[in-house]
Every structure is written in structure tokens, then in C-alpha cells.
Amino acid sequence: MMSTDTIFALSSGGLPSGVAVIRLSGPASGQAVQALCGRQPAERRASLLSIRNRNGEKLDAGLVLFFPGPNSFTGEDCAELQIHGGRATVKAVLAELAGMAGLRAAEAGEFSRRAFLNGRMDLIEVEGLADLIAAETEMQRRLAAEQSSGGLSKLYDSWAKRLTHARAMIEAELDFADEDDVPGSIADTVWRDMRQLEQEILNHLSGVRTGEIVRDGLKVVIVGPPNAGKSSLLNYLAKRDVAIVTDVPGTTRDVLHVDLDLDGFAVRLYDTAGLRETDDVVEQEGIRRTQLSMAQAHLVLLLSSLAEPDWVAFTEGYDGPIIRVQTKADRQDAAWRDPEADVKISVRTGEGISALLDLVSGYLPDLDQGSALALPTRQRHADNLAEARSHIGTALDAGGSGLDIQAEHLRLAGQALGRVTGRVDVENLLDVIFSEFCIGK
């Protein structure tokens, strides 16, 4: 699906910078380069050329590359201008491109969208590319690299081929049941493989939570009564003053967070309003948000600075994992130390902080550093995979309804699987997916 217009954008991020990369894609890319540089460089070879405006005035000099379609990032003719990253220089070159007939500035995600529409990437690879650009930790990078390079797509494609093969064998048995060259045992072989495929998808879906944690981070919520040291702990771990710390109870009214890199994983740490009875309307809203954050947490750090805290009272309604943290461990009072606490810390001395982080690390996914991260990372992946598995299960259970009904459920399973990679029925997904991209990607 080739586009008639040519798009351009600054693809290299904020200015000023040492080098700025301007990317073009579309049928007029070569003509645009020729108009700017006086000639079109050899295919896939970097050429140092002067860049001039239509009046012949030199704007800059830089490396220019031309990639003819279909063997390019978007599948169309593409070009790149690697120029100096001064604001005025980049602005002048972009203005010159905007003045050329048939060229326009790219929309967010339009380069990647064209790559998808031209068959250069599927949706899994597109989403992986978006995640790779946004990755901040090593595990996020590994997960995104696996998806953007097609590792996950190969798995789903192999499942789709098995479904297609099963349907073909069933259709053959329906159409040629009287022929000698169609053995009656085909159906048994097909359903044995479909039963195995159903289990493989079920096993894969068990990794949804792991994929969510790797991609979006382990969500850790700090809760407890006012003045338990929640904001002080957040500031200590963030190594900056994120939250206001005072002796006045109820200082924190909203949910604040910082992101940590722990063993290569992202850990998102949330500071919340202190839990207590209050008539303050604003503080009540903060407590409501605290309870909502707890409901969405992967882990809760329950803090208290009391000698004998009532740990149960502050987590009513929450049944997830909890680490009980007794704060202000620099106190000299030995009777203050509660044996029920999982760890005792002091942000003044640093005591217990390493032990606390070790406990948090215990809730991170246990992944082999050498293994591939073939994990579903988005809710739409999980929903469509669950639908595919459901249809396979229905087909397996519908033996008394006839092979034609069973084959139809396998077709529906294939459609659900195809919606993950974008092989079928994806138009309603595109705006959502590509809106996540920055201009120039």
C-alpha cells in the first residue's frame, strides 16, 4: 500500500544536538534530496553533500542517504539527512522541505504506520519498537528488543499455521471422506495437536503478569498511618525531595511516585496519604486514592513507627503481598523493635534499606538472563489470546456437533490470534497504537 505523498520529520529528538537526523519517506524522497543537494546519492551509501535552499544559499553540509523501496524501513523510498543539530539549521532545512510540492510534515507514528501498512512490520513488532524507544531499564530493553525483532511474532505465526493446517485437514476430511488418500485418522492427529496448542496458549497467558511487570514496572505502594515515614522513605530512595516532609499529620494529600531501577527491572514506588480517620475533605480524598492504589498494587510496603503497630488494621480489604516495615530504627529504645516487622529501617542512618530492597527484589520476576522474553505485554494481547484459546476449547468440546462446527471455531481462533499481530481486522486498533509514537518515528 504505497502512499502518494511524501512525509518528513526530525527523527533524532530534542535540539540543540551534535547531529540531527531528518527522515523522509514517500515517492518524492529522491527528488527532494536532489533539490536540496544537487544530486541523489548512491543507494545505501552515505555521501557528504552541501544542502542548499531554492535560492542556492548553503544551509549546511551533512551525510545524506537514500534507501529505495521496498527494502527500506517503511517499504517506500526513504532518505535521511544527517546534519548539524542547531535549532536554526534544522528549522531552515525543515522549512525548505515544507515548501516543496508533494511534501508534508509527518504525523505522530506515521513512519511506523507506513511500515506496518506496507508489510515491513506487524503490530507486535511496531509495539516492540515503541517500547524499545521508551525503555529505561535493562529488562524493558530486552523485552522490547525481543518483540521488535519479531521473536514473539514468530511464536504467534507458528500457532496460526497450526490452526490453518488443522482447518485444512478437517476440510479435506469433510470434502473427500470417500477418497482412499484421505486417512480417517487425520482428525485424531488434528485434535491431539489442538489440545496441545490450547495448553501452550494457556501456559503463555500465565506470563501476562510477568510481562506487565517487566514493561510497566513493579507497582509498589507505601501505606501506613500519618508520620510513619512514608514520604521520607520515598525521598531517600529517589535521592531527591519528591514529597513534602513535615511533622504535621496528613501532609501528603495525593499519590506521588518515583521510578527505580532495581536489578534491571523498573520499580514504580508510590507515596500515599496516611490512613486515619479525618474530617478534612481533601485528606479524605487522598485516603480514597491510597486505597485505590493498594487495590492496583503488586506489592504494599506497610510502614509504622509505633512500638506495637496494628499491622492488620491498615490493610483491611487488601489481600495481596505485604512487607511490614518498622521505621525510625535509629531509636535507642530496644523495646520499640517489633518482632512481627519484616524489616526495620532508618532513613537517617540508612539502616535496613538494603534489606528492604532485597525483600522487594524477591517479588520481581525470576527470569533467566540468557532466555528470550517471549511474553505478552499488553491487555489486547491477553484478551485476544484468551479468545483464541476459548475457541480452540469450544472446538475440542464440540465433537458431537460435527466437523464443520469445529472447523468454524478454529477459524474464529485464528482470527483472534491474527488480531494480535495485525494479520486481520486491525483498522480499529491503528489510531490507538500509533498515537503512542513521537513525531519522526
Side-chain angles (χ1 to χ4, degrees), residues 240-305:
R240 57 192 173 93
D241 290 337
V242 178
I244 298 172
V245 177
T246 73
D247 293 330
V248 179
T251 302
T252 302
R253 302 298 184 94
D254 206 347
V255 177
L256 308 174
H257 79 267
V258 297
D259 292 335
L260 306 178
D261 185 337
L262 192 59
D263 297 334
F265 289 88
V267 174
R268 179 156 284 191
L269 203 62
Y270 291 83
D271 179 26
T272 60
L275 297 172
R276 66 167 181 167
E277 295 292 332
T278 179
D279 294 327
D280 188 306
V281 175
V282 177
E283 192 176 355
Q284 286 176 349
E285 174 62 17
I287 292 172
R288 187 193 69 81
R289 295 186 185 188
T290 296
Q291 294 167 338
L292 181 62
S293 296
M294 288 174 62
Q296 300 170 344
H298 296 122
L299 173 66
V300 162
L301 302 185
L302 178 55
L303 270 60
S304 178
S305 59

Side-chain angles (χ1 to χ4, degrees), residues 58-80:
K58 183 175 178 179
L59 302 177
D60 196 13
L63 294 179
V64 182
L65 299 99
F66 178 69
F67 307 93
N71 298 317
S72 68
F73 174 70
T74 63
E76 305 172 326
D77 286 354
C78 287
E80 283 189 4

Side-chain angles (χ1 to χ4, degrees), residues 124-135:
I124 295 287
E125 292 168 328
V126 166
E127 290 169 329
L129 179 59
D131 289 344
L132 190 61
I133 294 169

Side-chain angles (χ1 to χ4, degrees), residues 209 294-301 315-323 363:
R209 182 179 181 277
M294 288 174 62
Q296 300 170 344
H298 296 122
L299 173 66
V300 162
L301 302 185
T315 55
E316 185 176 352
Y318 172 77
D319 57 2
I322 297 173
I323 297 177
Y363 291 90

